[in-house]
């Protein structure tokens, strides 16, 4: 057994050495910590199996660039697009940044795959822009339909983050609610820079509307700030959150303050896939928090781009052309998150699940129709 392990190790070392004789292939990444972690594990797996046609795969990460600010996104995109070694870019980490950066990537002819950016405007970003989730036009309908199916019809409030993610998703949610005959009793934007006074005033106004259900279109980090005040003012309030709720705040919720919140997930983590099981096992061995949807989708983005380079070569335009055919005249790619195929706009066909925090952090509840 020891001899077998030693032979295997020697073979792997020889394989890596052979790959190093060829110039490495490079993908840019602009993601948060967990997204980079997922992408990095995919690269490890690819390199352990010989890289891409004998070329070691590397990631070019721009430090500190996982930001929602347009200025940072544009600067980062310019750096990556100007690097001739970067074949394609995975990112950015959210809708606002991905949308801003897409201007640069499309102007410079660089393929961009956004793992979890969902703003409807991204569908019109350009032919070099792809993503591994559907447009929020679909998620908004999914959220609203869940509320409309409740009996009796609940008094419903909407709070949405005032950015390129929150505004369009809120518009779809409210439009679908109103078509279904339900007008929100409270509907307001919020800023991720709210002061404690702003929060107190917002919750006071929300409480006066006496909602049964709050649709939170935003991120969990900001919700954690308002949660104590919100729970005190409306202890029986049911909270239904968008996919942006996933993230580090859930992993750090040791006091279970977020228990009971239901939020949208972009993938079914209980899929029967040994590769997904292996990813979760790796996270457990390393002592990392459970991987977010962005981690799994970032892993898949690396696999998708690797398939494209194997089939079409490393030229940026060839990669774009090949990706545009996936789901059209090429079969879907089997990712850890499920089959991946792109629409004419570069969007993945949508899939949604609801998860209740505290009840089960991994079990999806209602797959989308």
């Amino acid at each position: 057994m020891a001899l077998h392990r030693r032979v295997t190790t020697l073979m792997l070392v020889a394989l890596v050495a052979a790959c190093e004789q060829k110039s490495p292939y490079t993908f840019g990444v602009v993601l948060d910590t967990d997204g980079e972690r997922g992408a990095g594990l995919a690269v490890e797996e690819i390199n352990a199996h010989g890289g891409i046609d004998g070329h070691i795969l590397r990631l070019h990460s721009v430090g500190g660039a996982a930001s929602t600010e347009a200025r940072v996104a544009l600067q980062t995109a310019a750096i990556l697009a100007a690097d001739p070694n970067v074949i394609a870019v995975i990112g950015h980490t959210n809708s606002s940044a991905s949308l801003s950066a897409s201007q640069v990537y499309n102007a410079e002819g660089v393929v961009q795959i956004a793992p979890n950016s969902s703003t409807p405007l991204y569908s019109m970003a350009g032919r070099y822009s792809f993503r591994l989730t559907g447009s929020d036009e679909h998620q908004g309908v999914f959220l609203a339909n869940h509320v409309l199916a409740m009996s009796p019809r609940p008094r419903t409030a909407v709070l949405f983050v005032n950015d390129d993610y929150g505004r369009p998703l809120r518009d779809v949610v409210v439009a679908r609610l109103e078509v279904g005959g339900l007008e929100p009793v409270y509907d307001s934007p919020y800023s991720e820079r709210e002061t404690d006074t702003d929060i107190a005033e917002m919750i006071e106004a929300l409480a006066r509307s006496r909602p049964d259900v709050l649709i939170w279109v935003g991120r969990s980090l900001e919700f954690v700030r308002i949660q104590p005040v919100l729970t005190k003012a409306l202890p029986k309030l049911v909270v239904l959150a968008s996919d942006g709720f996933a993230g580090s705040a859930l992993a750090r919720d040791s006091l279970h303050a977020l228990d009971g919140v239901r939020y949208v997930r972009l993938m079914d983590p209980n899929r029967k896939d040994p590769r997904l099981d292996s990813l979760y096992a790796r996270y457990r061995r390393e002592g990392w928090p459970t991987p977010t949807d962005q981690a799994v989708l970032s892993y898949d983005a690396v696999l998708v781009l690797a398939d494209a380079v194997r089939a079409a070569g490393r030229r940026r335009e060839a990669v774009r052309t090949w990706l545009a055919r996936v789901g059209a005249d090429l079969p879907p790619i089997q990712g850890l998150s499920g089959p991946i195929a792109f629409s004419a706009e570069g969007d993945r066909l949508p899939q949604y699940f609801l998860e209740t925090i505290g009840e089960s952090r991994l079990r999806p509840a209602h797959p989308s129709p």
Side-chain angles (χ1 to χ4, degrees), residues 165-187:
Y165 168 69
R167 289 188 298 269
L169 180 49
R170 171 266 171 201
D171 290 347
V172 177
V173 169
V174 171
R176 176 63 188 128
L177 288 175
E178 291 177 345
V179 167
L182 184 61
E183 184 173 349
V185 296
Y186 186 81
D187 178 15

Side-chain angles (χ1 to χ4, degrees), residues 30-346:
V30 192
L31 300 167
D32 65 13
T33 300
D34 206 35
E36 280 199 3
R37 188 174 282 157
L41 291 179
V43 168
E44 280 187 21
E45 179 179 314
I46 289 170
N47 288 337
H49 290 84
I52 301 176
D53 298 331
H55 295 260
I56 284 291
L57 179 58
R58 294 177 178 170
L59 297 179
H60 178 176
S61 174
V62 181
S67 168
T68 62
E69 294 184 19
R71 174 184 57 83
V72 176
L74 290 168
Q75 290 174 346
T76 303
I79 291 170
L80 292 172
D83 184 346
N85 295 313
V86 172
I87 299 171
V89 175
I90 300 167
H92 292 201
T93 194
N94 54 68
S95 288
S96 296
S98 292
L99 191 60
S100 297
S102 68
Q103 303 171 57
V104 175
Y105 298 131
N106 280 279
E108 299 298 329
V110 181
V111 168
Q112 172 190 16
I113 294 187
N116 62 330
S117 296
S118 54
T119 177
L121 292 174
Y122 193 81
S123 298
M124 299 175 281
R127 64 196 190 109
Y128 289 88
S129 298
F130 298 82
R131 58 178 162 187
L132 295 188
T133 185
S135 164
D136 277 336
E137 290 182 355
H138 305 289
Q139 183 181 175
V141 171
F142 174 80
L143 280 165
N145 283 347
H146 184 77
V147 174
L148 292 171
M150 295 179 180
S151 182
R153 288 284 179 87
R155 293 175 60 83
T156 303
V158 179
L159 282 175
F160 61 98
V161 61
N162 193 16
D163 65 13
D164 288 330
Y165 168 69
R167 289 188 298 269
L169 180 49
R170 171 266 171 201
D171 290 347
V172 177
V173 169
V174 171
R176 176 63 188 128
L177 288 175
E178 291 177 345
V179 167
L182 184 61
E183 184 173 349
V185 296
Y186 186 81
D187 178 15
S188 175
Y190 71 88
S191 167
E192 293 188 330
R193 296 179 177 84
E194 300 277 10
T195 66
D196 290 344
T197 300
D198 294 331
I199 289 173
E201 291 175 352
M202 180 174 67
I203 300 305
E204 182 179 349
L206 174 65
R208 285 198 299 268
S209 68
R210 298 180 291 108
D212 304 305
V213 171
L214 170 64
I215 299 179
W216 175 266
V217 180
R219 303 170 183 94
S220 55
L221 195 60
E222 188 65 20
F223 186 85
V224 168
R225 290 187 62 206
I226 77 162
Q227 185 272 333
V229 183
L230 180 65
T231 300
K232 184 176 180 180
L234 296 162
K236 296 183 179 180
L237 184 69
V238 173
V239 179
L240 185 65
S242 62
D243 69 292
F245 205 82
S248 59
L250 299 188
R252 295 197 301 265
D253 184 27
S254 59
L255 298 179
H256 303 286
L258 301 178
D259 283 5
V261 174
R262 305 192 76 189
Y263 74 103
V264 175
R265 296 206 58 174
L266 302 177
M267 56 156 287
D268 178 357
N270 284 346
R271 288 186 69 249
K272 301 297 183 182
D273 188 328
R275 299 174 302 164
L276 187 59
D277 294 341
S278 177
L279 181 70
Y280 284 124
R282 174 66 182 275
Y283 268 65
R284 288 192 296 270
R285 288 197 304 272
E286 299 291 346
W288 297 332
T290 301
T292 62
D293 290 354
Q294 185 184 113
V296 179
L297 295 173
S298 299
Y299 187 106
D300 278 352
V302 172
L303 299 186
V304 168
L305 286 174
D307 280 356
V309 173
R310 287 190 191 98
R314 71 172 309 280
R315 287 192 310 109
R316 291 170 172 179
E317 181 59 31
V319 170
R320 184 208 66 79
T321 301
W322 191 87
L323 288 177
R325 296 173 57 198
V326 175
D329 61 315
L330 291 176
I333 296 170
Q334 299 303 314
L336 272 65
S337 59
I340 298 168
F342 297 111
S343 70
E345 296 76 26

